[in-house]
Short mmCIF file of all heavy atoms in Angstrom, two decimals:
data_model
loop_
_atom_site.label_atom_id
_atom_site.label_comp_id
_atom_site.label_asym_id
_atom_site.label_seq_id
_atom_site.Cartn_x
_atom_site.Cartn_y
_atom_site.Cartn_z
N ILE A 54 -0.87 6.03 6.47
CA ILE A 54 -0.08 7.14 7.08
C ILE A 54 1.18 6.59 7.62
O ILE A 54 1.18 5.51 8.29
CB ILE A 54 -0.87 7.81 8.19
CG1 ILE A 54 -2.14 8.53 7.70
CG2 ILE A 54 -0.02 8.77 9.02
CD1 ILE A 54 -3.02 9.11 8.70
N GLY A 55 2.24 7.17 7.24
CA GLY A 55 3.61 6.69 7.69
C GLY A 55 4.25 7.81 8.58
O GLY A 55 3.73 8.81 8.77
N PRO A 56 5.43 7.45 9.00
CA PRO A 56 6.18 8.41 9.87
C PRO A 56 6.46 9.76 9.16
O PRO A 56 6.65 10.75 9.89
CB PRO A 56 7.44 7.70 10.24
CG PRO A 56 7.58 6.63 9.27
CD PRO A 56 6.21 6.25 8.85
N GLY A 57 6.52 9.75 7.88
CA GLY A 57 6.82 11.00 7.18
C GLY A 57 5.61 11.71 6.63
O GLY A 57 5.72 12.76 5.95
N THR A 58 4.37 11.15 6.91
CA THR A 58 3.15 11.71 6.38
C THR A 58 2.84 13.03 7.20
O THR A 58 2.78 13.02 8.40
CB THR A 58 1.98 10.76 6.51
OG1 THR A 58 2.35 9.57 5.81
CG2 THR A 58 0.69 11.37 6.03
N ARG A 59 2.47 14.11 6.46
CA ARG A 59 2.06 15.27 7.06
C ARG A 59 0.55 15.23 7.11
O ARG A 59 -0.16 14.99 6.11
CB ARG A 59 2.48 16.51 6.26
CG ARG A 59 2.00 17.86 6.89
CD ARG A 59 2.39 19.05 6.03
NE ARG A 59 1.88 20.31 6.70
CZ ARG A 59 1.89 21.44 6.01
NH1 ARG A 59 2.31 21.59 4.80
NH2 ARG A 59 1.38 22.53 6.73
N VAL A 60 -0.06 15.38 8.34
CA VAL A 60 -1.50 15.35 8.56
C VAL A 60 -2.00 16.77 8.92
O VAL A 60 -1.51 17.38 9.89
CB VAL A 60 -1.91 14.37 9.64
CG1 VAL A 60 -3.46 14.34 9.74
CG2 VAL A 60 -1.44 12.99 9.21
N VAL A 61 -2.89 17.30 8.07
CA VAL A 61 -3.41 18.64 8.26
C VAL A 61 -4.86 18.58 8.65
O VAL A 61 -5.68 18.04 7.86
CB VAL A 61 -3.24 19.49 7.01
CG1 VAL A 61 -3.86 20.88 7.09
CG2 VAL A 61 -1.72 19.59 6.61
N ASP A 62 -5.18 19.17 9.77
CA ASP A 62 -6.58 19.38 10.11
C ASP A 62 -6.97 20.78 9.66
O ASP A 62 -6.44 21.82 10.20
CB ASP A 62 -6.79 19.28 11.64
CG ASP A 62 -8.24 19.33 12.06
OD1 ASP A 62 -8.98 20.13 11.50
OD2 ASP A 62 -8.60 18.54 13.03
N ALA A 63 -7.89 20.88 8.67
CA ALA A 63 -8.21 22.18 8.07
C ALA A 63 -9.09 23.03 8.93
O ALA A 63 -9.47 24.15 8.51
CB ALA A 63 -8.78 21.93 6.71
N GLY A 64 -9.61 22.41 10.01
CA GLY A 64 -10.54 23.20 10.93
C GLY A 64 -11.82 23.58 10.23
O GLY A 64 -12.39 24.69 10.60
N GLY A 65 -12.32 22.87 9.27
CA GLY A 65 -13.54 23.19 8.56
C GLY A 65 -13.42 24.21 7.51
O GLY A 65 -14.38 24.64 6.92
N ARG A 66 -12.19 24.64 7.20
CA ARG A 66 -11.98 25.71 6.23
C ARG A 66 -12.32 25.18 4.81
O ARG A 66 -12.13 24.02 4.51
CB ARG A 66 -10.62 26.32 6.29
CG ARG A 66 -10.35 27.03 7.62
CD ARG A 66 -9.17 27.89 7.44
NE ARG A 66 -8.86 28.60 8.77
CZ ARG A 66 -9.47 29.77 9.15
NH1 ARG A 66 -10.45 30.31 8.46
NH2 ARG A 66 -9.16 30.33 10.25
N MET A 67 -12.62 26.15 3.95
CA MET A 67 -12.92 25.81 2.53
C MET A 67 -11.62 25.57 1.76
O MET A 67 -10.67 26.39 1.87
CB MET A 67 -13.69 26.90 1.86
CG MET A 67 -14.21 26.51 0.50
SD MET A 67 -15.30 27.77 -0.27
CE MET A 67 -15.92 26.90 -1.65
N ILE A 68 -11.63 24.53 0.99
CA ILE A 68 -10.48 24.28 0.05
C ILE A 68 -11.09 24.19 -1.35
O ILE A 68 -12.09 23.56 -1.62
CB ILE A 68 -9.84 22.97 0.51
CG1 ILE A 68 -9.03 23.17 1.81
CG2 ILE A 68 -8.87 22.46 -0.63
CD1 ILE A 68 -8.39 21.88 2.29
N LEU A 69 -10.31 24.88 -2.25
CA LEU A 69 -10.64 24.85 -3.71
C LEU A 69 -9.51 24.15 -4.42
O LEU A 69 -8.32 24.12 -3.97
CB LEU A 69 -10.84 26.31 -4.21
CG LEU A 69 -12.02 27.03 -3.74
CD1 LEU A 69 -11.91 28.53 -4.36
CD2 LEU A 69 -13.29 26.39 -4.19
N PRO A 70 -9.82 23.78 -5.67
CA PRO A 70 -8.72 23.34 -6.59
C PRO A 70 -7.79 24.60 -6.86
O PRO A 70 -8.28 25.75 -6.72
CB PRO A 70 -9.46 22.96 -7.86
CG PRO A 70 -10.85 22.68 -7.57
CD PRO A 70 -11.13 23.60 -6.30
N GLY A 71 -6.55 24.36 -7.15
CA GLY A 71 -5.65 25.48 -7.51
C GLY A 71 -6.32 26.25 -8.63
O GLY A 71 -6.78 25.66 -9.61
N LEU A 72 -6.32 27.55 -8.54
CA LEU A 72 -6.99 28.38 -9.54
C LEU A 72 -6.17 28.41 -10.77
O LEU A 72 -4.90 28.33 -10.78
CB LEU A 72 -7.24 29.75 -9.03
CG LEU A 72 -8.08 29.90 -7.72
CD1 LEU A 72 -8.35 31.31 -7.37
CD2 LEU A 72 -9.36 29.05 -7.83
N CYS A 73 -6.84 28.57 -11.95
CA CYS A 73 -6.15 28.58 -13.25
C CYS A 73 -6.55 29.94 -13.93
O CYS A 73 -7.63 30.34 -13.98
CB CYS A 73 -6.59 27.45 -14.12
SG CYS A 73 -6.30 25.80 -13.40
N ASP A 74 -5.51 30.57 -14.44
CA ASP A 74 -5.70 31.91 -15.06
C ASP A 74 -5.35 31.74 -16.56
O ASP A 74 -4.17 31.49 -16.93
CB ASP A 74 -4.76 32.91 -14.47
CG ASP A 74 -5.05 34.37 -14.92
OD1 ASP A 74 -5.21 34.56 -16.12
OD2 ASP A 74 -4.93 35.28 -14.09
N VAL A 75 -6.33 31.88 -17.45
CA VAL A 75 -6.22 31.52 -18.87
C VAL A 75 -5.55 32.66 -19.66
O VAL A 75 -5.28 32.48 -20.84
CB VAL A 75 -7.49 31.08 -19.46
CG1 VAL A 75 -8.40 32.32 -19.84
CG2 VAL A 75 -7.31 30.20 -20.70
N HIS A 76 -5.33 33.81 -19.01
CA HIS A 76 -4.87 34.99 -19.74
C HIS A 76 -4.00 35.88 -18.82
O HIS A 76 -4.61 36.72 -18.09
CB HIS A 76 -5.96 35.80 -20.39
CG HIS A 76 -5.57 36.75 -21.48
ND1 HIS A 76 -5.98 36.78 -22.76
CD2 HIS A 76 -4.68 37.77 -21.39
CE1 HIS A 76 -5.51 37.73 -23.40
NE2 HIS A 76 -4.58 38.39 -22.59
N ILE A 77 -2.74 35.82 -18.89
CA ILE A 77 -1.91 36.57 -18.01
C ILE A 77 -0.58 36.97 -18.63
O ILE A 77 -0.15 36.25 -19.60
CB ILE A 77 -1.60 35.72 -16.68
CG1 ILE A 77 -1.11 36.63 -15.55
CG2 ILE A 77 -0.67 34.63 -16.96
CD1 ILE A 77 -1.07 35.92 -14.17
#
Side-chain angles (χ1 to χ4, degrees):
I54 295 176
T58 302
R59 181 185 179 192
V60 179
V61 175
D62 186 319
R66 294 199 181 277
M67 187 175 192
I68 291 178
L69 290 176
L72 304 184
C73 304
D74 189 320
V75 80
H76 193 125
I77 197 167

